[in-house]
């Protein structure tokens, strides 16, 4: 067994599926602008194949990453995903690099979920997430599509992305919300109320862009000082802070390089002190 093991991040249950809290975000498996194939396909596949070896058993992807590229690479590298939870998303369309347009029409969401089923090569998707609530489509119609996917057995569990507490409560009137994926990191804590709601209700909180620390990482900055004190990197401090922030926190740092993946997983060994946490909490 590898000395690097994501199981040190702790456990979380999504329905009847147990995962290690430190996962992997598969957006970076694509080209510039999250468009087309990766610059180094061999490195991408090597990184994916390293995941189970270092105990990462939760991967987050989306049909829009590439588009389609990320899901297909995951299948090539890891199918049949023994002991792993592969989560995907739909609800954003891609006319070009760095362009994201919501499409929450129920027929589109259902068709995309079925397409992800085929691309991933599974009988059902363990966790499927509504990538964005489309402001041009009644919210409950989009939630109704999710309910249909659950009832039809196309997906086992469902989540939301970039939502408010009010959105989550509205969705829960129609289907069980297993996870919420909002942007959250050391310098962007706009989702504190959502995180608190998730913690009270046992909903997994998936922070995207988890490694962002901005000016805090500058020489002499708070993250820099704490990292040096622990013999760690700024990214490892950012991940350790997230993992110690809440037991429902499920960070998904992404990378195209095995070495960076291993550095991220090693962050699960880092235990920040009470003073470290106080200082980092005050940094935002």
């Amino acid at each position: 067994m590898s000395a690097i093991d994501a199981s040190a991040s702790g456990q979380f249950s999504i329905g009847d599926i147990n995962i290690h809290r430190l996962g992997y975000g598969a957006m970076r498996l694509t080209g510039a602008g999250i468009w087309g194939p990766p610059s180094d396909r061999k490195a991408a596949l090597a990184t994916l194949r390293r995941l189970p070896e270092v105990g990462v058993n939760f991967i987050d992807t989306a049909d829009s990453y590439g588009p389609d590229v990320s899901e297909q690479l995951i299948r090539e590298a890891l199918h049949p995903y023994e002991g792993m939870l592969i989560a995907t998303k739909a609800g954003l369309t891609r006319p070009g690099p760095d362009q994201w347009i919501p499409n929450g029409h129920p027929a589109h969401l259902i068709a995309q979920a079925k397409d992800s089923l085929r691309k991933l090569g599974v009988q059902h998707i363990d966790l499927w997430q509504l990538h964005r609530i489309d402001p041009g489509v009644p919210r409950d119609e989009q939630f109704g599509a999710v309910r249909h996917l659950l009832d039809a057995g196309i997906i086992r569990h469902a989540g939301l992305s970039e939502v408010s507490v009010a959105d989550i409560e509205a969705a829960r009137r129609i289907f069980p919300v297993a996870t919420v994926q909002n942007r959250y990191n050391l310098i962007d804590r706009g989702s504190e109320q959502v995180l608190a709601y998730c913690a009270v209700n046992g909903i997994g909180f998936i922070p995207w862009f988890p490694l962002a620390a901005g000016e805090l990482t500058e020489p002499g900055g708070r993250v820099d000082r704490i990292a040096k004190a622990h013999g760690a990197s700024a990214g490892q401090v950012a991940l350790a802070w997230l993992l110690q922030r809440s037991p429902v926190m499920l960070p998904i740092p992404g990378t195209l390089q095995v070495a960076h993946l291993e550095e991220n997983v090693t962050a699960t060994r880092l235990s920040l002190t009470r003073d470290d946490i106080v200082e980092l909490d005050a940094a935002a």
Side-chain angles (χ1 to χ4, degrees):
M1 181 179 292
S2 172
I4 305 172
D5 194 342
S7 66
S9 64
Q11 307 285 321
F12 187 81
S13 296
I14 296 176
D16 58 348
I17 305 171
N18 295 320
I19 60 169
H20 300 147
R21 289 174 56 214
L22 183 70
Y24 174 80
M27 186 174 72
R28 300 293 178 189
L29 295 176
T30 62
I34 321 303
W35 187 262
S39 58
D40 189 337
R41 191 172 188 277
K42 184 177 179 180
L45 291 170
T47 299
L48 285 169
R49 289 171 178 144
R50 183 67 172 138
L51 292 172
E53 296 174 348
V54 295
V56 175
N57 59 6
F58 174 49
I59 299 176
D60 176 82
T61 186
D63 65 347
S64 56
Y65 295 165
D68 303 327
V69 171
S70 179
E71 290 178 324
Q72 292 171 354
L73 285 172
I74 290 168
R75 178 175 183 172
E76 180 177 346
L78 295 169
H79 191 270
Y81 319 119
E82 184 175 352
M84 305 191 80
L85 189 162
I86 312 299
T88 193
K89 302 183 286 293
L92 291 176
T93 57
R94 302 296 310 285
D98 288 321
Q99 298 179 56
W100 309 80
I101 298 176
N103 185 344
H105 289 90
H108 173 78
L109 297 177
I110 292 167
Q112 290 303 105
K114 290 179 178 179
D115 201 33
S116 288
L117 200 74
R118 177 186 58 79
K119 286 179 291 184
L120 290 170
V122 293
Q123 294 183 333
H124 53 252
I125 297 169
D126 285 332
L127 175 62
W128 183 93
Q129 302 153 96
L130 180 60
H131 210 157
R132 290 293 186 277
I133 295 176
D134 184 349
V137 177
R139 186 174 61 179
D140 283 358
E141 290 185 13
Q142 298 172 70
F143 297 160
V146 180
R147 177 78 261 178
H148 170 81
L149 292 170
L150 288 163
D151 292 344
I154 296 168
I155 67 177
R156 292 186 62 195
H157 305 287
L160 301 167
S161 182
E162 281 306 301
V163 291
S164 66
V165 169
D167 292 327
I168 303 169
E169 291 181 331
R172 293 180 76 196
R173 290 193 285 269
I174 297 175
F175 67 90
V177 175
T179 58
V180 167
Q181 185 168 160
N182 280 16
R183 177 167 166 151
Y184 185 87
N185 50 56
L186 272 170
I187 58 172
D188 185 351
R189 306 189 199 174
S191 289
E192 287 285 7
Q193 290 184 342
V194 173
L195 172 59
Y197 181 90
C198 288
V200 169
N201 291 280
I203 297 170
F205 183 90
I206 305 170
W208 62 272
F209 207 24
L211 296 181
E215 295 179 356
L216 299 179
T217 62
E218 292 181 354
R222 299 185 187 194
V223 173
D224 179 62
R225 294 198 307 273
I226 291 170
K228 287 179 178 177
H230 288 276
S233 69
Q236 288 174 324
V237 170
L239 285 175
W241 178 81
L242 285 169
L243 288 167
Q244 291 181 229
R245 186 77 174 162
S246 171
V248 304
M249 191 78 78
L250 309 174
I252 49 166
T255 178
L256 200 63
Q257 301 298 326
V258 168
H260 191 203
L261 166 66
E262 293 175 347
E263 177 183 313
N264 289 339
V265 176
T266 303
T268 62
R269 301 175 180 170
L270 177 58
S271 180
L272 300 174
T273 68
R274 184 184 296 273
D275 288 345
D276 292 337
I277 296 294
V278 169
E279 185 170 0
L280 291 171
D281 286 349

